[in-house]
Amino acid sequence: MRKRPDAGMVEFTAMLPIVLTTLMLIWETFLLGMSATYAGHAANEGARVAAVGGGQKAIEEEAVRRISGAWAKEENIKVEYPTDKRDPDYGYVRVTIKPPLLFPGVLLPMSVSARSRVVYEGPE
């Protein structure tokens, strides 16, 4: 049986959508991982500021300052530090980020969140 000279091109053309889809899924997984990393770092920094008596504005500023790149737009970041003792997140700083969808400027319709416990160091 003789091989056709264009057989490799047909196989490549058939596999191209699968390869591109796999690459896009890998890239999006990376972006989600970076979102989780940034959210975790921001929550830790916000908790650190809260531990030494920083106010809500100082906590938000420090948390947002730790986020960079496509994630750094303030409208995509939510920092929560509840002061109501009945709130289940009382004593924690929670940072929520909307991750990008493949490219900066296009956001996923979901969010990635991290929270960090505040260990108070000042007088109560």
Side-chain angles (χ1 to χ4, degrees):
M1 182 172 201
R2 208 167 51 115
K3 277 189 164 182
R4 290 180 46 193
D6 63 344
M9 184 58 83
V10 172
E11 290 171 1
F12 174 75
T13 304
M15 289 297 294
L16 187 61
I18 295 170
V19 170
L20 290 177
T21 301
T22 302
L23 289 174
M24 287 185 344
L25 287 173
I26 291 170
W27 179 247
E28 190 57 42
T29 302
F30 169 76
L31 292 175
L32 285 170
M34 285 300 296
S35 298
T37 300
Y38 279 133
H41 288 308
N44 288 339
E45 288 302 316
R48 184 187 61 77
V49 171
V52 295
Q56 182 73 27
K57 185 155 179 64
I59 293 168
E60 288 179 13
E61 286 174 357
E62 188 63 27
V64 170
R65 194 170 71 84
R66 296 299 177 178
I67 301 170
S68 64
W71 297 264
K73 292 185 179 176
E74 288 190 37
E75 61 268 13
N76 301 335
I77 303 166
K78 182 178 176 186
V79 180
E80 298 172 274
Y81 178 58
T83 55
D84 183 6
K85 290 187 179 192
R86 294 173 293 180
D87 192 310
D89 272 346
Y90 176 76
Y92 290 89
V93 172
R94 178 179 297 276
V95 175
T96 305
I97 299 175
K98 291 183 179 179
L101 174 66
L102 299 177
F103 304 104
V106 181
L107 301 175
L108 277 175
M110 59 176 277
S111 58
V112 175
S113 177
R115 75 179 194 165
S116 191
R117 181 94 169 122
V118 177
V119 179
Y120 297 100
E121 296 176 7
E124 290 278 326

